[in-house]
Amino acid sequence: MMLKLQLCYRDPEEKNMIFKFKDVMKKLFLLVVLFSTSYILYAQQNKMYTIATLDPGHFHAALVQKTMYPNVSKEVYVYATASADLEMHLKRIEDYNNRKENPTHWNEVLYTGKDFFNKMIAEKKANVVMLSGNNELKSEYILTSLKNGFNVIADKPMAIDAKGFEKIKTSFEVAQQKKLQLYDIMTERFEITSILQRILAQNKNVFGQLERGSKEQPAIEKKNIHMLYKTVSGNVLTRPEWFMDVTQQGEGIADVMTHVVDLVQWVCFPNQIIDYTKDIKILNARHWPTNLTLSQFTSLTKATSFPSYLKSKVIKDSILPYYCNGEIEYQLKGVFVKTTTLWNYKSEYGAGDMYSSTIRGTKATLKIQQGPNENFKPVLYIVPHQNDASYEKNLQEAIASLQVEFSGVSLEKTEQGWKLVIPQKFNENHEEHFARVVQFYLDYLDHNNMPNWEVPNMLAKYYTTTKALTMASSKE
């Protein structure tokens, strides 16, 4: 026998209220199920990452955290020795957390001790190691971290000499075997003038073909000029004392030169695999110092004397020759290239770092300049070999094709040809570029989709810089 239960209601209004309540609960249940399902799918498709910051001695370590990322834990594990470098790093993160506009919410979990690296390996509280600091042991840290199952994102340079390059070669082999991601931070790829130079250099109607050039007039010339005295995140930068020791920081030809060599490859040979064993020929390399007085060293580091590890290099107790300048002449896939990196103590114009780039094609030369005439802002010029109506039509069509992605970019005539007028919305600063690099790296971690040319071209880049250093040093 089946029993049938029937609810009794005191009045129709009560019945309606109960049915409405049931309907609301059903909808709420469906929302909970939908949210839970969405969250599970998000977690499956977008893994969560936890960063271990290792011995952060360079201000770039903090710039990686100037922005929050949806799939990165706010807990960041910092492993280091107690030092002024560490205190400055933590202060920068604190400033980002406390700023009024778009503050971050990082929680730095700190471990200090001489065994900081082994502690990080043993604890395994993170799955991504971030390296930006003293470069002397960086290649070893990278290799050991990968061997122990950590992904690695490293500030440049990953290698400062030939021995370091050999370790980086092994590191990429280990990363492939363990299905891990190793990547270096190349912020200059996100500078808008370099992006547009890269695009226009592939337009045969505007640029033609990349010339081969010669040793006397290379087809590609790139130069960056850095300032030791500069402002970062609104504050005058204090440099670590070891920054002026090339055995710890690396020479300029092996350090900031990595950006210039990377742009040669990325702009002029886009999406092409470069085999360093056959595509690169170093023709000549040289290096020279920027001489720093003790007062300049003090202004940069706040130290009142040169540290003991630098005293043997100091001239007459007052001048430190800092080998931060370099020049490389080489051929890449048969094309003649010249790259230069310079470090000045301070800009005579009160400007920041500067960059110039010349790429010679069969129809035009594409130039980026950043001097007084450009108000120290990078400007891209198009200098055609034959600036007639036909060329102007092709150029206007090329600019029109940019509008989908770069709305508002336009042309302005100059004495030699044209310059691009770029809306302010595309002019991100150097500090903002760090978040762009990290976002790309996180996508590579999520989807294992790093382009097939990235790893061989990172090897090509570090082969070029470290081989050039060896050549320049052998002349002494």
Side-chain angles (χ1 to χ4, degrees):
M1 182 175 67
M2 183 180 291
L3 294 174
K4 186 176 181 181
L5 297 176
Q6 184 173 355
L7 292 174
C8 295
Y9 304 99
R10 287 179 293 183
D11 54 54
E13 185 177 347
E14 182 183 32
K15 180 177 181 181
N16 289 336
M17 288 179 63
I18 291 174
F19 274 104
K20 285 180 181 179
F21 177 75
K22 287 181 178 180
D23 185 55
V24 169
M25 292 304 294
K26 284 180 182 179
K27 289 179 179 178
L28 183 61
F29 176 75
L30 289 172
L31 284 173
V32 170
V33 171
L34 180 62
F35 175 81
S36 300
T37 304
S38 299
Y39 181 83
I40 292 168
L41 287 172
Y42 179 86
Q44 290 174 341
Q45 296 170 7
N46 301 274
K47 300 173 184 176
M48 291 299 294
Y49 302 103
T50 302
I51 295 173
T53 301
L54 190 65
D55 199 20
H58 197 286
F59 69 93
H60 288 177
L63 290 179
V64 167
Q65 292 180 243
K66 195 174 181 181
T67 302
M68 300 293 293
Y69 309 95
N71 53 342
V72 174
S73 170
K74 70 176 183 178
E75 311 290 336
V76 175
Y77 294 88
V78 183
Y79 296 87
T81 54
S83 66
D85 294 345
L86 176 61
E87 290 175 10
M88 285 188 286
H89 172 76
L90 296 175
K91 178 63 168 60
R92 291 181 186 119
I93 303 300
E94 182 182 359
D95 289 345
Y96 298 153
N97 282 346
N98 293 331
R99 68 190 176 205
K100 291 182 180 179
E101 190 173 329
N102 194 25
T104 54
H105 307 284
W106 301 108
N107 179 29
E108 305 292 290
V109 182
L110 181 63
Y111 175 84
T112 58
K114 291 183 179 180
D115 63 338
F116 66 90
F117 183 60
N118 290 334
K119 188 73 171 179
M120 183 200 76
I121 297 296
E123 288 190 339
K124 285 187 168 60
K125 290 185 176 180
N127 49 12
V128 175
V129 174
M130 211 295 295
L131 283 159
S132 180
N134 190 309
N135 297 316
E136 186 174 15
L137 298 175
K138 185 183 282 183
S139 55
E140 180 63 38
Y141 287 155
I142 290 171
L143 179 56
T144 305
S145 296
L146 290 162
K147 285 181 175 179
N148 284 275
F150 293 89
N151 297 286
V152 177
I153 181 167
D155 190 22
K156 59 78 196 157
M158 292 201 291
I160 60 173
D161 53 28
K163 289 182 179 178
F165 174 68
E166 292 301 317
K167 288 179 180 176
I168 292 304
K169 283 170 57 180
T170 304
S171 294
F172 280 113
E173 292 170 1
V174 172
Q176 183 178 26
Q177 292 165 4
K178 291 182 171 288
K179 297 182 179 179
L180 298 167
Q181 299 289 353
L182 168 60
Y183 199 53
D184 63 351
I185 298 175
M186 290 288 107
T187 52
E188 299 309 306
R189 293 183 187 181
F190 296 90
E191 164 55 46
I192 185 62
T193 50
S194 293
I195 293 170
L196 294 175
Q197 187 183 47
R198 183 180 194 245
I199 293 171
L200 291 179
Q202 309 317 307
N203 190 312
K204 291 181 172 54
N205 293 327
V206 171
F207 182 71
Q209 300 286 343
L210 179 64
E211 290 185 352
R212 185 172 183 270
S214 63
K215 195 173 186 297
E216 295 69 32
Q217 182 172 281
I220 305 168
E221 295 184 76
K222 293 181 180 288
K223 177 193 291 187
N224 63 12
I225 304 174
H226 286 259
M227 308 301 160
L228 288 166
Y229 186 95
K230 65 169 63 175
T231 299
V232 174
S233 296
N235 299 305
V236 174
L237 178 65
T238 299
R239 301 273 185 186
E241 295 175 42
W242 55 259
F243 188 85
M244 267 60 78
D245 180 7
V246 296
T247 65
Q248 298 184 68
Q249 173 61 24
E251 287 201 22
I253 201 170
D255 177 20
V256 291
M257 185 70 87
T258 54
H259 280 306
V260 191
V261 172
D262 184 75
L263 286 175
V264 169
Q265 299 176 175
W266 185 78
V267 171
C268 304
F269 302 88
N271 308 324
Q272 297 181 42
I273 293 174
I274 297 170
D275 183 346
Y276 76 89
T277 65
K278 62 182 182 182
D279 290 336
I280 298 169
K281 182 180 180 182
I282 308 295
L283 304 173
N284 189 39
R286 65 189 186 98
H287 64 167
W288 62 98
T290 291
N291 291 324
L292 295 175
T293 65
L294 177 57
S295 63
Q296 289 173 333
F297 183 84
T298 299
S299 178
L300 293 170
T301 66
K302 304 297 185 287
T304 56
S305 62
F306 293 114
S308 58
Y309 51 78
L310 285 177
K311 285 186 176 178
S312 64
K313 301 170 185 176
V314 174
I315 301 171
K316 296 181 180 179
D317 297 324
S318 60
I319 301 293
L320 174 66
Y322 177 36
Y323 274 82
C324 51
N325 308 300
E327 180 182 274
I328 312 174
E329 296 174 283
Y330 63 109
Q331 283 181 279
L332 177 54
K333 291 184 178 287
V335 176
F336 284 87
V337 181
K338 180 180 177 181
T339 60
T340 308
T341 189
L342 304 173
W343 279 91
N344 297 333
Y345 167 66
K346 193 176 184 180
S347 171
E348 59 182 302
Y349 306 102
D353 299 341
M354 294 186 289
Y355 171 71
S356 64
S357 169
T358 299
I359 306 174
R360 296 181 171 90
T362 53
K363 290 191 175 182
T365 298
L366 303 177
K367 292 185 176 182
I368 297 173
Q369 295 182 343
Q370 193 180 354
N373 292 335
E374 292 78 30
N375 197 27
F376 304 102
K377 304 292 183 183
V379 175
L380 176 57
Y381 296 92
I382 301 102
V383 183
H385 301 332
Q386 188 172 347
N387 194 13
D388 54 18
S390 175
Y391 183 86
E392 181 176 349
K393 178 177 178 292
N394 289 334
L395 181 57
Q396 293 287 2
E397 288 176 353
I399 301 307
S401 69
L402 295 174
Q403 298 307 309
V404 174
E405 190 172 359
F406 304 102
S407 175
V409 170
S410 61
L411 288 168
E412 183 180 304
K413 281 192 174 183
T414 66
E415 288 185 7
Q416 293 185 309
W418 306 85
K419 74 174 181 179
L420 280 191
V421 179
I422 301 171
Q424 181 59 35
K425 62 185 177 182
F426 296 116
N427 289 310
E428 294 183 337
N429 63 40
H430 175 63
E431 295 186 18
E432 293 172 307
H433 295 161
F434 282 84
R436 298 286 191 185
V437 176
V438 173
Q439 286 159 354
F440 266 77
Y441 179 66
L442 293 172
D443 188 64
Y444 297 154
L445 288 173
D446 274 343
H447 303 108
N448 192 30
N449 60 347
M450 187 182 292
N452 65 347
W453 48 267
E454 279 282 20
V455 169
N457 291 11
M458 280 188 272
L459 288 169
K461 173 174 56 190
Y462 287 109
Y463 169 81
T464 301
T465 56
T466 57
K467 186 74 173 178
L469 173 63
T470 300
M471 180 181 287
S473 301
S474 68
K475 295 178 181 180
E476 298 172 354

